[in-house]
Amino acid sequence: MQTYNIGRNTSNNIILDDKMVSRQHAQIIVFDNGQVVIKDLGSSNGTFVNGNKINDFQLKPGDIVKCANVFLNWQQHIDATNQSSNIAASEIIQPPKRNNDQNYSREPLQNESRLLISSSIADNLPAMVRNELASLSAQKQEEFVEEYKRKRKSVALAYILMLPIFFLLHYGYLRKWGLQFLFWFTAGGMGVWWFIDLFRTYGMVQDYNKDVAVEVIRNLKAISNY
């Protein structure tokens, strides 16, 4: 078994010169059977694999590791003579090369086609948006998530706004002002409409957020192509 430490401290096998990376950030363990595991060492800003925060994770070739803001591409080399893993410390992780006009910690990997955002967000996105995101760099995917989180609506808040004390404002919250005024005018269909909305509001918020995701990905791609 071999271990390789990752962090900002110069004593590490893999040194990441980024202030967001902890001094002892993560550790890669290569077992004798070829299994490779990465472990977070209690870092301040977390270790992620393919967009998901991990404590420990079994790596596969092509997995994208993120330590704080630094993206790393895991590659495992096989010795063709004996079909066993042949891994040297310098080969374990290949960070993207630094360009003079780019911030190293934010530089995306090139030619990468992988969805790197957390599954809790990805699972609620339309398939078209997920496919478009997978074709974008890690940095662009992160920009999408930030903008999507800023614009999306909360199911819990929508239900809270259905209460009379908050003026039954759930349609206005979803930017459906025509329905909102009609809802007010009919007193919520004398209560019947309001009761039906107890079952419909969750779906309305989900549909709204899907439209937001489509809008954000279109704007992001338009800016990228400009």
Side-chain angles (χ1 to χ4, degrees), residues 27-53:
Q27 184 180 68
I28 288 179
I29 305 172
V30 183
F31 294 92
D32 294 337
N33 63 0
Q35 179 184 2
V36 182
V37 173
I38 184 168
K39 295 178 62 176
D40 183 79
L41 298 179
S43 62
S44 300
N45 294 300
T47 302
F48 300 79
V49 177
N50 301 332
N52 298 310
K53 190 173 183 179

Side-chain angles (χ1 to χ4, degrees), residues 148-158 161 170-175 202 204-206 208-210 212:
Y148 174 69
K149 285 182 176 180
R150 187 179 71 83
K151 291 186 173 182
R152 71 179 178 178
K153 300 298 184 182
S154 163
V155 172
L157 183 54
L161 292 174
H170 54 298
Y171 280 108
Y173 177 60
L174 298 176
R175 302 292 190 266
Y202 177 85
M204 289 192 295
V205 174
Q206 294 293 89
Y208 179 92
N209 289 338
K210 288 178 180 178
V212 166

Side-chain angles (χ1 to χ4, degrees), residues 154-179:
S154 163
V155 172
L157 183 54
Y159 274 107
I160 290 173
L161 292 174
M162 289 182 66
L163 299 174
I165 192 174
F166 294 107
F167 306 104
L168 309 171
L169 199 58
H170 54 298
Y171 280 108
Y173 177 60
L174 298 176
R175 302 292 190 266
K176 299 178 182 291
W177 287 106
L179 287 174

Side-chain angles (χ1 to χ4, degrees), residues 18 69-71 103-108 139 142-143 146:
D18 186 287
N69 287 328
V70 180
F71 290 92
N103 185 325
Y104 172 69
S105 66
R106 304 282 293 180
E107 186 176 356
Q139 181 177 343
E142 186 174 346
E143 290 177 10
E146 291 175 357

Side-chain angles (χ1 to χ4, degrees), residues 49-52 57 59-65 71-75 109-118 122 129-142:
V49 177
N50 301 332
N52 298 310
F57 187 88
L59 289 173
K60 303 178 297 298
D63 281 340
I64 304 300
V65 176
F71 290 92
L72 308 166
N73 186 8
W74 163 254
Q75 297 293 336
L109 297 170
Q110 300 298 319
N111 301 321
E112 183 63 36
S113 179
R114 185 184 293 271
L115 197 59
L116 302 175
I117 65 178
S118 65
V129 174
R130 293 198 300 269
N131 292 336
E132 292 288 349
L133 276 173
S135 67
L136 298 179
S137 67
Q139 181 177 343
K140 290 298 181 182
Q141 292 189 36
E142 186 174 346

